[in-house]
Amino acid sequence: MNQILDKIIGTYTQDNRKRVIDILRDVKREYKSISKLDLTDEKYFKEKTLEFKKRIQKGSSKEKVMVEALALCIRAIELKLGMHPFNTQIEAAIAMQDNVVAEMKTGEGKTLVQILSGYLNALDGNGVHICTANDYLAERDFTENSPVFEFLGLSVGLVRSNSQPSKKRKAYSSDIVYSTVRNIAFDYLRDNIVKRSEDRIINRPFNYAVIDEVDNTLIDEASTPIILSPDEKSSEYVDVRSKDAYMEVTELLYTKLKGGLLLEPITPEQATATFKKNPQYDYFYCMWDKSIHINDEYLSNELLRDAIAARHFLKEGESYTLTYKKDKNGNNIIGENKLPLKKITIIDASTGRIAAGKKYTNGIQQAIEAKEAYLAKTNDQPYDVEFSNGLVALGICTYADFLQLYKSGVSGMTGTSSELLKDIYGLDTYQVPTRKSNVRIDNTKVYITEKEKYEAIVNQIEECYIIGRPVLIGTTSVKESKLISKMLEERNIVHNVLNAENEAYEAAIIENAGQFRSVTVSTNMAGRGTDIKLSDKARALGGLCVIGTTRNKSKRLDNQLRGRASRQGDPGTSTYYSSLEDERVVRFAGKMDFYKDVLKKQQEITEKRTGRKLEDTSIDTDAVDKAQEKDEFLTRTMIIETIKYNEALVKQRKIIYNFRNKILDSDNIVSLIGDILTEFISEISDKETFDDTFSKYCNVNELANKQEVFDSIMGRIDNTSKMNDYNKIMKKHMLKIVDDYWVAQIQLLEVGKKMWMYEAYGKKDPLEYYDLKAYKLFKDMEYGIYSEIISMAINPNQEYVDTNTDTFGR
Ligand code: ADP
Ligand code: MG
């Protein structure tokens, strides 16, 4: 597992602290001596940067230059931003030079660390990407930090997701690029489908990345792949499976098939046993890991798998919403059954925001649409549901495999620690102490019913509201935010609700969450990265009161919310509420009754004795903690599975992209085709296949030896290549061939992941089986690409037929 991200593996331990502190001392000494000179002239700073760059070019290591460079950078920060970096910030930047993650609590100043670390790593002249959690933060930090970088003679660029290509291209050529990992990964995938080399957006190799809130990228987003989809309007690359096929399967699912809910993830072997024991079920689904088990009869029906996922895992109001489709004038668009048309809009799971224009790929979108159309029809609803053209993935990567591209490595900052960074990525964490000790008081409260829980939450909010103490309420969904908001309205508590809004707006509201009498309800991630400053009045009242309405998937996420209170030694409290009816806890259905009984008894006793409600007892939090631990374990398993199963695709993608770039950048296509032909001929050892393949182009019977086959075919190619525009035409053909095969390959590998696991059962290790299958598919693809290229090279005027299309049809 540990080789997966060998680029960002560190062997760091806290033992290194002494060494880091020693370097810090040197930096401070050096800083003293330059600040004495009282130099404020830009020219001096720029020349110094050039000097450092030269020294590194001449072979000095970054470490050798580090002390002087940091001292200079500190001085520049002081001059341009009027802040003197704290020791802890310098310490973090020093540690990060070993490609480790610096853990710094909320409000300790991670934004400034970007400058220190970014500057050090830009000195090799190969560029640094500074990645934040979203576009808004990228722009904010770019705007704040640019003056320092520019003062030091480094160019700075900003890449937003919606920036124009020409703007992006310019930004990417800067020494320092501000963006998000997501944006950059998308641009990377896009660069690998361009038709002309000048259309590429990123024209430098990936060198070094500093990632703020790295836990978000590598843990929260780790099992969601980044998928590049084609423009919906272009008819190239659509999934040809028809609406009828989806509707048919959906109807089958709702009317004929019986499914069972699993409480725990099971292996394919256990699934077989489960089916045997429960012959009445056609499929099982597991809420925990969102896995689906289908019995033999339906196993090969890939659409059914998507339909089951759409039915049980993707719910309206949680994963997506249904809204009326409007024309330009705001009128309803009418569908084929003469009813107004509704469309599916995805809700981003982590932010609760509407992801406008986004669609699910690989059949899930259609499965949801078929489900909603079916439900609308059977429930006699007054609307139709729009059916989309299926989109296939043009390119795919994960955050983790994308980061492997950075040659000099990756480092980052995180506000909350996680063992997963080490366990999964081999990434060490360096804990930076807080500057002032944290005085926040953390509470945990558990209630039996959800109703009691929300009552208690609103009571606490009201208590604060009456005295004017600010409250920040973090919810886990938009639905919950709305519920809380409604309850607050009933009690006439003035408050802000944040959901489905834009990031800049959220930041502006969150910034004021520490003011007198402010009550802010928001989903967990809203306004992340925004510093909540306390007013004097709020401070005197005990500081920010943070309330978590439902425990998150992991303690780390809970701690993220808690961390919003008591920054930099401020007063503050945090309270997490749970009930035994919370979805996560209910999944332990068997155990819940037990806890309920025990709790009820305890409650009665406690109430009798004290007249108070039961809170903060050890037995109650136990159920909730266990549920959360289970989820953490699952996240970990899922990330590891994703990485393992992704490896084959990563390897193949590397080869295909290299091959594609060779074509794109080639000025001598005939010689490249010659290389391809050589490889093609040498790869085939079986006589029958050899004859089958090459008899089309030359008389193989007579030309028994490979050299003669080569000469004969190459002779024909040389001949054809004298035609006008041969290079241009062939380049176009070759790119199209590679792209068509690769798009099909991505689909086959993705589908295979779900299918082969079951095929493999009883035979061998599913992963080993998958890798074997993937390799076989790769060889098939290679054969297809080579033979089509050679055939085109001989006769470039033939109409190219995409013989691959039927693989989508399945
Ligand atoms: P984090 O990202 O770690 O939560 P921020 O970078 O947002 O923290 O910084 C929190 C606050 O501390 C900001 O208002 C910032 O301006 C301030 N700050 C950071 N570093 C310094 C410093 N060296 N001197 C004074 N203020 C600082
Ligand atoms: Mg921050």
Side-chain angles (χ1 to χ4, degrees):
M1 187 89 288
N2 279 350
Q3 290 117 15
I4 289 159
L5 282 183
D6 49 353
K7 285 284 155 42
I8 58 174
I9 278 181
T11 49
Y12 220 76
T13 63
Q14 293 296 0
D15 301 347
N16 282 303
R17 169 158 273 133
K18 191 181 162 308
R19 192 177 59 84
V20 170
I21 300 296
D22 283 346
I23 299 172
L24 172 67
R25 203 169 297 129
D26 293 344
V27 173
K28 306 273 298 184
R29 200 174 300 128
E30 176 70 19
Y31 162 79
K32 259 203 189 113
S33 73
I34 58 168
S35 61
K36 252 191 236 138
L37 300 173
D38 204 22
L39 285 160
T40 54
D41 183 12
E42 201 165 330
K43 215 171 128 229
Y44 171 78
F45 286 81
K46 293 201 156 107
E47 274 167 9
K48 270 300 212 186
T49 297
L50 273 181
E51 180 203 312
F52 296 149
K53 279 188 172 179
K54 276 204 192 108
R55 273 160 59 188
I56 287 177
Q57 241 169 34
K58 284 207 183 112
S60 269
S61 64
K62 280 186 195 169
E63 284 67 48
K64 281 230 169 81
V65 182
M66 174 158 64
V67 170
E68 286 175 60
L70 274 177
L72 187 80
C73 189
I74 292 166
R75 184 75 184 126
I77 290 172
E78 211 169 42
L79 290 172
K80 299 310 287 181
L81 301 182
M83 290 189 272
H84 182 82
F86 304 127
N87 284 356
T88 47
Q89 289 168 321
I90 306 167
E91 192 182 329
I94 295 168
M96 280 162 65
Q97 282 311 93
D98 296 334
N99 297 357
V100 302
V101 169
E103 183 192 336
M104 291 173 80
K105 298 271 180 256
T106 310
E108 290 292 308
K110 291 185 277 293
T111 318
L112 252 186
V113 178
Q114 293 168 6
I115 309 183
L116 297 168
S117 181
Y119 179 67
L120 285 181
N121 289 292
L123 292 175
D124 64 10
N126 297 324
V128 172
H129 292 169
I130 300 180
C131 305
T132 64
N134 59 45
D135 270 5
Y136 165 76
L137 291 172
E139 183 160 1
R140 183 198 72 180
D141 294 353
F142 162 79
T143 311
E144 266 174 34
N145 294 346
S146 284
V148 184
F149 287 118
E150 279 163 2
F151 187 69
L152 286 160
L154 296 181
S155 55
V156 199
L158 169 70
V159 175
R160 294 180 54 111
S161 57
N162 57 1
S163 307
Q164 291 300 312
S166 58
K167 260 198 157 156
K168 282 187 179 175
R169 206 168 287 128
K170 188 164 172 288
Y172 276 121
S173 65
S174 311
D175 296 309
I176 303 285
V177 182
Y178 268 96
S179 194
T180 64
V181 177
R182 189 180 177 79
N183 291 347
I184 303 171
F186 264 118
D187 286 337
Y188 163 71
L189 293 176
R190 267 187 214 112
D191 273 357
N192 282 292
I193 56 161
V194 294
K195 305 287 185 208
R196 302 175 309 171
S197 54
E198 61 267 35
D199 290 337
R200 286 198 192 107
I201 288 173
I202 310 173
N203 284 303
R204 298 177 82 166
F206 294 93
N207 181 45
Y208 192 88
V210 177
I211 306 173
D212 198 354
E213 299 188 49
V214 64
D215 53 331
N216 174 251
T217 309
L218 288 180
I219 301 170
D220 301 339
E221 308 278 359
S223 34
T224 326
I226 299 173
I227 299 173
L228 182 67
S229 331
D231 181 359
E232 221 183 308
K233 284 167 214 109
S234 80
S235 57
E236 224 182 343
Y237 305 124
V238 293
D239 189 332
V240 297
R241 292 176 290 187
S242 70
K243 177 179 176 180
D244 290 346
Y246 279 101
M247 288 306 295
E248 209 176 285
V249 158
T250 304
E251 197 158 333
L252 173 79
L253 174 64
Y254 276 88
T255 55
K256 298 254 161 60
L257 301 190
K258 276 189 96 162
L261 171 65
L262 296 168
L263 295 172
E264 310 256 327
I266 55 175
T267 62
E269 288 168 46
Q270 290 165 328
T272 308
T274 312
F275 276 119
K276 250 190 207 133
K277 251 191 264 152
N278 303 278
Q280 73 274 29
Y281 287 121
D282 299 293
Y283 68 93
F284 285 96
Y285 65 100
C286 174
M287 290 307 291
W288 272 111
D289 64 344
K290 306 232 171 359
S291 63
I292 296 164
H293 302 266
I294 304 179
N295 72 11
D296 289 344
E297 194 182 338
Y298 299 101
L299 192 58
S300 60
N301 192 334
E302 178 55 27
L303 295 184
L304 180 59
R305 197 172 290 279
D306 291 342
I308 294 172
R311 177 178 188 173
H312 297 290
F313 306 143
L314 296 148
K315 303 240 159 90
E316 199 210 331
E318 270 173 41
S319 307
Y320 61 90
T321 61
L322 268 177
T323 49
Y324 283 106
K325 208 171 149 87
K326 307 271 184 191
D327 63 14
K328 264 186 252 134
N329 305 320
N331 298 321
N332 286 339
I333 294 179
I334 305 297
E336 57 184 46
N337 297 331
K338 305 265 174 326
L339 290 168
L341 202 55
K342 277 193 171 186
K343 62 170 183 188
I344 308 286
T345 316
I346 298 182
I347 299 174
D348 182 318
S350 60
T351 59
R353 253 184 227 117
I354 301 283
K358 215 170 120 184
K359 289 204 169 173
Y360 292 104
T361 40
N362 292 339
I364 290 290
Q365 178 86 19
Q366 288 76 352
I368 295 172
E369 287 165 349
K371 170 182 92 173
E372 288 298 339
Y374 173 80
L375 293 176
K377 202 177 77 188
T378 43
N379 298 330
D380 249 340
Q381 295 293 327
Y383 57 81
D384 282 348
V385 177
E386 180 187 43
F387 197 81
S388 325
N389 260 345
L391 300 181
V392 296
L394 295 184
I396 187 166
C397 68
T398 64
Y399 285 82
D401 76 58
F402 168 72
L403 290 174
Q404 286 183 80
L405 295 172
Y406 287 86
K407 278 196 295 291
S408 303
V410 172
S411 70
M413 294 83 85
T414 181
T416 42
S417 64
S418 170
E419 282 160 16
L420 295 185
L421 288 174
K422 174 76 181 163
D423 287 358
I424 296 172
Y425 300 109
L427 209 50
D428 279 297
T429 301
Y430 182 88
Q431 268 145 0
V432 182
T434 52
R435 287 184 312 113
K436 293 186 186 153
S437 56
N438 191 327
V439 299
R440 188 184 67 224
I441 299 163
D442 293 332
N443 301 309
T444 303
K445 300 192 179 188
V446 180
Y447 292 82
I448 294 179
T449 63
E450 271 198 333
K451 191 166 167 287
E452 286 171 285
K453 175 178 90 166
Y454 288 120
E455 281 288 328
I457 289 173
V458 178
N459 286 344
Q460 193 189 358
I461 299 171
E462 193 169 36
E463 274 169 32
C464 291
Y465 185 70
I466 289 167
I467 59 166
R469 185 176 168 203
V471 196
L472 175 69
I473 303 109
T475 67
T476 50
S477 70
V478 177
K479 215 165 98 194
E480 213 180 18
S481 287
K482 283 187 181 154
L483 175 77
I484 299 277
S485 172
K486 202 171 139 248
M487 292 176 77
L488 291 176
E489 260 165 35
E490 279 162 12
R491 298 202 193 179
N492 292 320
I493 297 175
V494 183
H495 61 280
N496 279 308
V497 196
L498 294 182
N499 51 47
E501 293 287 346
N502 72 61
E503 285 149 0
Y505 170 79
E506 284 175 357
I509 302 278
I510 289 283
E511 204 171 356
N512 288 313
Q515 302 299 308
F516 181 70
R517 193 151 287 159
S518 122
V519 177
T520 314
V521 184
S522 88
T523 48
N524 259 316
M525 292 293 120
R528 65 185 309 153
T530 308
D531 201 24
I532 303 178
K533 292 204 170 80
L534 292 178
S535 69
D536 289 339
K537 244 172 155 178
R539 188 183 308 270
L541 290 164
L544 187 63
C545 166
V546 164
I547 293 175
T549 54
T550 299
R551 295 270 289 268
N552 288 287
K553 269 168 70 123
S554 69
K555 248 208 165 74
R556 180 178 52 83
L557 293 173
D558 290 350
N559 287 340
Q560 250 173 35
L561 180 70
R562 290 194 197 270
R564 304 221 97 161
S566 303
R567 52 179 278 290
Q568 301 179 5
D570 279 346
T573 60
S574 79
T575 310
Y576 254 100
Y577 285 85
S578 314
S579 85
L580 296 187
E581 287 177 353
D582 289 358
E583 196 191 331
R584 180 168 296 106
V585 185
V586 171
R587 287 185 201 162
F588 281 92
K591 289 183 188 158
M592 198 180 97
D593 286 338
F594 163 74
Y595 279 113
K596 247 187 171 165
D597 279 353
V598 177
L599 264 176
K600 268 234 167 74
K601 276 213 183 76
Q602 281 206 2
Q603 192 176 26
E604 280 164 19
I605 298 168
T606 317
E607 273 177 18
K608 242 187 226 151
R609 215 175 43 219
T610 62
R612 260 185 351 122
K613 284 239 163 195
L614 174 85
E615 289 168 1
D616 296 329
T617 59
S618 61
I619 178 116
D620 53 3
T621 51
D622 203 40
V624 183
D625 283 343
K626 282 242 164 63
Q628 193 177 47
E629 275 162 27
K630 188 96 188 180
D631 234 355
E632 282 171 0
F633 174 77
L634 219 85
T635 304
R636 182 198 144 90
T637 314
M638 258 154 70
I639 297 174
I640 291 175
E641 286 288 292
T642 307
I643 291 177
K644 282 199 297 200
Y645 278 89
N646 196 36
E647 260 180 290
L649 185 127
V650 173
K651 261 190 228 150
Q652 299 188 10
R653 189 181 63 216
K654 216 182 207 164
I655 297 170
I656 286 292
Y657 281 4
N658 271 338
F659 184 64
R660 198 185 189 281
N661 284 328
K662 255 192 211 156
I663 300 170
L664 204 57
D665 295 325
S666 154
D667 355 290
N668 187 347
I669 214 83
V670 178
S671 126
L672 180 61
I673 294 171
D675 294 344
I676 292 169
L677 183 58
T678 308
E679 167 115 9
F680 192 26
I681 290 176
S682 73
E683 284 259 304
I684 304 176
S685 50
D686 170 59
K687 176 158 168 26
E688 202 176 314
T689 319
F690 192 87
D691 290 356
D692 265 4
T693 308
F694 297 107
S695 60
K696 280 179 267 175
Y697 315 119
C698 61
N699 194 337
V700 176
N701 290 334
E702 282 170 32
L703 300 169
N705 93 43
K706 290 187 168 183
Q707 185 59 44
E708 281 170 67
V709 172
F710 177 84
D711 291 343
S712 164
I713 297 175
M714 208 54 215
R716 293 183 64 185
I717 292 173
D718 277 331
N719 231 354
T720 324
S721 70
K722 294 192 184 83
M723 66 182 268
N724 280 345
D725 284 339
Y726 183 82
N727 265 346
K728 216 173 115 192
I729 295 170
M730 268 317 288
K731 221 181 226 195
K732 211 174 124 197
H733 280 319
M734 287 162 81
L735 290 174
K736 174 95 176 94
I737 292 167
V738 173
D739 291 347
D740 285 352
Y741 272 94
W742 180 237
V743 166
Q745 181 79 351
I746 294 173
Q747 272 238 0
L748 291 172
L749 290 175
E750 288 298 300
V751 171
K753 234 179 254 178
K754 300 181 215 160
M755 305 282 290
W756 298 331
M757 233 170 105
Y758 295 90
E759 264 179 55
Y761 154 65
K763 289 182 206 136
K764 50 189 86 160
D765 173 17
L767 177 65
E768 206 175 287
Y769 187 71
Y770 174 81
D771 283 343
L772 211 77
K773 283 272 198 184
Y775 181 72
K776 166 94 177 50
L777 276 181
F778 180 78
K779 281 291 160 198
D780 291 351
M781 169 176 71
E782 196 180 53
Y783 181 93
I785 291 176
Y786 285 170
S787 69
E788 298 213 25
I789 286 180
I790 297 307
S791 157
M792 272 293 166
I794 294 171
N795 180 10
N797 288 328
Q798 62 185 297
E799 185 73 23
Y800 166 60
V801 218
D802 180 3
T803 51
N804 251 342
T805 323
D806 59 342
T807 51
F808 300 135
R810 283 189 293 276

